[in-house]
Amino acid sequence: MSDSSGSPNGAGDGDDPVDPRRVTATPFIAAVASVVVILLIIVVSGWLSPAEENVTQADRISRTVADFIQAHNNNDTDLQESLTCSSWSDGRSVLSGREGEITLQQVESSEINGDRGRAVVRISADDAEGETTDTWQLTRVDGDWLICD
């Protein structure tokens, strides 16, 4: 008997035969979903643990010391005033009397007791004193460390 439907595979019900070369979107959709999940994890973890919270108080003290020395070298009195306590006196500063540009060698250690801090700071300059190490006193005001006498 011959099939008069004209279907090459003899499928007379109107369905197309399954093509084994046919490509599905499933792998692409899975890859996109994986990327979305990874991005959501990154965003949520950044939201729950912001980078500024990963900075230690010792890091903040070191940044204040470095900013103060840079302001001193640049004669930026406004920045120096913003980094010092209201009782600050330039005459009692460990930088007073130093000649030339001062270089921060290292903040060797920081000790924090509540809103008070001390940092052992090693600096150098092109003067007769050369490299010196001093203990700097700091106070935390509204979350920022200020250099005090």
Side-chain angles (χ1 to χ4, degrees), residues 23-136:
V23 179
T24 64
T26 305
F28 176 75
I29 292 171
V32 170
S34 297
V35 169
V36 168
V37 168
I38 291 170
L39 288 175
L40 283 174
I41 290 170
I42 291 170
V43 168
V44 169
S45 67
W47 180 63
L48 293 176
S49 179
E52 64 264 5
E53 290 181 11
N54 296 333
V55 178
T56 66
Q57 292 303 315
D59 292 337
R60 293 175 193 266
I61 286 174
S62 295
R63 182 77 260 155
T64 298
V65 169
D67 288 348
F68 180 78
I69 291 172
Q70 182 178 10
H72 173 82
N73 289 335
N74 295 331
N75 293 322
D76 188 344
T77 55
D78 291 337
L79 181 56
Q80 281 180 303
E81 287 178 12
S82 72
L83 295 171
T84 57
C85 293
S86 58
S87 63
W88 175 257
S89 169
D90 284 334
R92 292 185 295 210
S93 169
V94 295
L95 303 181
S96 68
R98 299 301 302 255
E99 298 290 328
E101 185 160 322
I102 296 173
T103 303
L104 173 62
Q105 296 298 323
Q106 183 179 9
V107 177
E108 294 179 353
S109 65
S110 298
E111 180 182 310
I112 299 167
N113 186 7
D115 286 339
R116 303 259 180 208
R118 294 172 18 165
V120 178
V121 179
R122 187 166 39 103
I123 59 172
S124 65
D126 294 329
D127 59 8
E129 292 185 54
E131 190 173 287
T132 59
T133 302
D134 295 295
T135 301
W136 293 31

